[in-house]
Amino acid sequence: MSEWIALVGEPLSRMDCFDGMVNECIGVYKRHSETVNNCPTYLHVKNHDLMLWSTQDNLGWAFGPASLKGTSAAYIAVHDKAVEPANIKGTWMVWSKDLQLVGAPQLQLLHNQCSMDNGVVVVDECTREQRDAAGRKHAIDLNFETPRKRARPSACELEMRVAKARSACHAKIDAHARELGQRAMEDFWEDKIDANELDQRKKEARETATAEHTSLNQLDQAFAVFNEAVASRVKAEQQLDIAMGEVDTTVTAEEAAEKAVESLIRKLLPKAAESSDVVKTE
């Protein structure tokens, strides 16, 4: 049974998930002494309020607050009847902004069966040939994982700060709207306009006051540009993922072709001749 597990993957943006606590679940977990639904549990090594447990009737696994252990209420969940995390094969899911469970394939669960020394987790073992093949197949990934790839939470945090900044403008906008609507109130008091006309002019006064608030308009324009940039970045990253998938496919084909060539060489060229720089001709 795995002593340590790690939930890894690129953080999700607020556009992808309903609750920002989803990203808090990413990290390393250690097996806890407590069992839930006859299955092991794991506690986050930095935040002991977060736990991984098996849900009711062992229908799946869930990451969430330890206070909800055993239930289906979670930040991240998977439908999988595995008796321990090491055997989970399903795709992890999160709650979307529309309160729908959506797949989050970028989240992966790593595990090991040994202790952790100096903060290093050994999740698997492989032969030298396997490491070389994996290194060749994914070497290009290193070129694309640059610091320019922004972390997802930044957009969420910025959106919250924009909302607070907009709220700070409301008092000035309200005061200016009352000034603009003062004449309408006088006309209503003198029976020059009815209640419907008053409501319409109050609405127009607020719209005018909002439009005349220079700082707020500049903020809205800047945030609109930011959202367009985010959309462009997301689209570019999606295209990059597609391109990287195509690279993986072509590299796999290259490796298969190389193996075929080497197989034919071994049939046609004796080992002694292959190791020599001189090729004999008949």
Side-chain angles (χ1 to χ4, degrees):
M1 182 178 296
S2 301
E3 183 70 17
W4 301 86
I5 62 169
L7 181 66
V8 300
E10 194 170 351
L12 286 81
S13 71
R14 191 162 182 171
M15 293 182 295
D16 300 322
C17 59
F18 172 74
D19 199 317
M21 285 300 295
V22 166
N23 292 327
E24 297 295 324
C25 293
I26 295 176
V28 178
Y29 292 72
K30 188 179 187 303
R31 185 160 59 89
H32 191 45
S33 58
E34 182 180 7
T35 60
V36 173
N37 296 325
N38 296 320
C39 291
T41 60
Y42 291 78
L43 281 179
H44 197 291
V45 295
K46 292 184 177 180
N47 184 353
H48 291 174
D49 290 331
L50 295 176
M51 175 182 280
L52 170 67
W53 66 79
S54 176
T55 60
Q56 296 141 326
D57 300 323
N58 302 114
L59 295 178
W61 290 80
F63 284 98
S67 59
L68 299 178
K69 60 189 176 187
T71 70
S72 298
Y75 299 132
I76 306 174
V78 61
H79 293 304
D80 196 303
K81 294 184 179 181
V83 295
E84 64 171 301
N87 298 325
I88 294 176
K89 304 298 183 183
T91 299
W92 291 96
M93 297 181 293
V94 300
W95 289 103
S96 69
K97 293 185 68 175
D98 299 327
L99 297 181
Q100 298 292 326
L101 276 176
V102 296
Q106 65 267 52
L107 298 178
Q108 301 292 326
L109 194 65
L110 306 180
H111 61 89
N112 82 322
Q113 295 181 344
C114 58
S115 63
M116 179 184 295
D117 295 324
N118 300 323
V120 178
V121 184
V122 180
V123 298
D124 204 352
E125 295 184 359
C126 59
T127 65
R128 179 179 178 180
E129 290 76 11
Q130 290 172 326
R131 289 195 299 271
D132 290 343
R136 288 180 54 211
K137 186 171 183 180
H138 297 288
I140 193 170
D141 290 349
L142 299 177
N143 296 327
F144 285 97
E145 291 296 326
T146 66
R148 291 297 300 161
K149 195 166 186 180
R150 292 174 56 85
R152 294 299 193 272
S154 61
C156 175
E157 294 171 2
L158 186 60
E159 183 178 350
M160 293 177 62
R161 293 173 62 194
V162 167
K164 290 180 180 179
R166 287 183 59 84
S167 297
C169 299
H170 289 170
K172 291 184 178 181
I173 292 175
D174 288 343
H176 188 32
R178 282 195 295 270
E179 293 176 0
L180 296 174
Q182 185 62 37
R183 181 56 184 273
M185 291 296 297
E186 293 174 357
D187 289 346
F188 177 72
W189 185 258
E190 296 174 2
D191 294 328
K192 294 181 179 180
I193 60 174
D194 58 16
N196 292 332
E197 178 66 18
L198 176 63
D199 290 341
Q200 178 61 31
R201 290 172 65 175
K202 286 170 59 178
K203 178 181 178 183
E204 293 172 355
R206 174 167 289 280
E207 291 174 349
T208 300
T210 301
E212 291 179 354
H213 197 295
T214 304
S215 298
L216 178 59
N217 291 330
Q218 291 175 341
L219 175 63
D220 287 342
Q221 291 172 6
F223 192 53
V225 172
F226 170 77
N227 283 329
E228 291 178 0
V230 170
S232 297
R233 186 257 300 161
V234 170
K235 182 178 180 181
E237 288 179 355
Q238 291 173 343
Q239 293 173 341
L240 177 60
D241 289 340
I242 294 173
M244 292 304 300
E246 294 175 351
V247 169
D248 283 346
T249 300
T250 56
V251 170
T252 300
E254 176 189 341
E255 291 173 346
E258 181 182 2
K259 289 181 180 179
V261 172
E262 290 178 348
S263 177
L264 291 172
I265 289 175
R266 285 194 294 271
K267 289 182 179 180
L268 298 174
L269 193 63
K271 289 186 177 180
E274 184 179 355
S275 61
S276 173
D277 294 333
V278 180
V279 178
K280 296 181 180 180
T281 59
E282 296 182 358

